[in-house]
Every structure is written in structure tokens, then in C-alpha cells.
């Protein structure tokens, strides 16, 4: 199997505090057994800062606001625990920026497994999903976005990315139940 399913930022601090994030949990929960049975590499990516803030850019108001939100985004806290079940064969990657590739070993893991195609899901569509898709395409991966496996605090932004931006970039966009694994 040369396909990986990348699920980003579905962690307790996000799914517990943002209703749009909770909406993507059911379709992904249903998809996981099918993906694993087909031999798809499942990769969970979660977001956290070091507790001392050493990795928070001083000029970034957005990153600073996440850090100051409390333990929800601090490494090792309950808020950074994954909200979906992780199987022994899955891979878990810790990230500190929007893209699942930025500063992580994700590309190394995918190449070691011979992955050529990635399906991306998670939150937020206009942040983690978009950044990860662009990075994946730049690295030569074929990209699929799982439309109902993504969510955004602004539904209009989600729709814009899923209906216009992703297709215009050559990414396949399908629902979780229609994804051919």
C-alpha cells in the first residue's frame, strides 16, 4: 500500500472546545477501520508548544494566543491527547506549526513506507489541512482531501477551500465514505 491517511489536530483541547472540530470525528471514526484493513498508513498529527514557550515566535499574535490559551496547546497536557483511537500500527507525529510537515519527521516516515499518495483530514481546513496539502504537493505526493473529515471555524472558508481552492490546485476532494482506499 502506498497511501497514507493524515489526520491533523483532532486532539482533546480542540475537539472539546470547538464544535466544528467535533463534527469531523464521526466520519473519521467510521473510516479508520476500513483504512487500516486496506493497509493504509494512518498518521495522527497533533499540535503542541513546549511548556516554556521556546518555540512560540515572538512576532506571531496567533501563535502567542494559542500558547496563552493554557494547557490545551502545551506539550504533555491532556489537551494535546488525540481524540481518536490510535492503533499500534499507526504513527503519531508532534508538530509545532500549521503544516504536518513543518519541522517534523513526517516526510521521512512516509518515504520509508513508500507512500506516494496522501489523504488529508482534520482541522482547520483553512490552516492545518491547507498547509499540509500544499507541503505534500510540493514534496511530490498525490493529494486527496476528505471533505467531511475536515472542518473550519468559518463554514464559508471550509466550503471555499473544498469547493474552489483544493480542486484548482489539482487535489482530489471526496467524502470519507466515497474515498477509495
Amino acid at each position: 500500500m502506498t497511501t497514507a491517511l493524515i489526520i491533523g489536530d483532532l486532539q482533546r483541547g480542540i475537539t472539546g472546545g470547538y464544535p466544528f472540530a467535533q463534527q469531523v470525528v464521526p466520519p473519521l471514526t467510521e473510516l479508520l477501520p476500513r483504512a487500516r484493513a486496506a493497509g493504509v498508513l494512518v498518521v495522527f498529527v497533533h499540535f503542541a508548544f513546549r511548556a516554556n514557550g521556546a518555540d512560540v515566535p515572538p512576532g506571531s499574535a496567533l501563535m502567542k494566543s494559542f500558547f496563552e490559551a493554557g494547557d490545551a496547546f502545551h506539550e504533555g497536557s491532556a489537551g494535546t491527547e488525540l481524540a481518536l483511537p490510535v492503533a499500534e500500527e499507526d504513527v503519531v507525529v508532534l508538530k509545532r506549526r500549521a503544516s504536518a510537515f513543518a519541522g517534523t519527521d513526517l516526510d521521512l516516515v512516509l518515504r520509508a513506507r513508500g507512500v506516494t499518495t496522501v489523504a488529508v483530514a482534520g482541522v482547520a481546513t483553512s490552516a492545518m489541512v491547507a498547509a499540509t496539502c500544499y507541503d505534500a504537493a510540493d514534496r511530490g505526493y498525490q493529494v486527496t482531501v476528505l471533505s467531511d473529515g475536515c472542518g473550519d471555524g468559518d463554514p464559508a472558508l471550509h466550503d471555499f477551500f473544498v469547493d474552489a481552492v483544493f480542486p484548482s490546485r489539482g487535489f482530489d476532494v471526496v467524502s470519507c465514505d466515497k474515498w477509495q482506499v
Side-chain angles (χ1 to χ4, degrees), residues 36-168:
R36 290 180 182 124
V40 170
L41 175 65
V42 175
V43 180
F44 290 100
V45 185
H46 60 130
F47 175 81
F49 291 113
R50 288 177 174 86
N52 66 4
D55 42 15
V56 178
S60 174
L62 178 63
M63 295 289 197
K64 186 177 178 184
S65 72
F66 285 143
F67 179 77
E68 292 175 350
D71 289 345
F73 300 108
H74 291 185
E75 186 174 358
S77 71
T80 64
E81 293 174 7
L82 295 167
L84 291 169
V86 179
E88 185 177 325
E89 67 271 18
D90 297 343
V91 173
V92 177
V93 174
L94 173 65
K95 70 183 183 74
R96 301 181 195 284
R97 296 293 182 265
S99 171
F101 289 95
T104 73
D105 64 352
L106 176 59
D107 191 51
L108 176 106
V109 169
L110 298 178
R111 298 212 186 274
R113 293 289 297 267
V115 169
T116 58
T117 302
V118 296
V120 182
V123 295
T125 309
S126 63
M128 186 290 300
V129 174
T132 299
C133 288
Y134 297 150
D135 267 1
D138 284 349
R139 295 165 192 266
Y141 295 99
Q142 295 294 321
V143 177
T144 297
V145 177
L146 300 176
S147 57
D148 58 339
C150 301
D152 202 287
D154 182 341
L157 271 179
H158 170 80
D159 292 344
F160 176 66
F161 273 87
V162 169
D163 297 336
V165 175
F166 294 149
S168 76

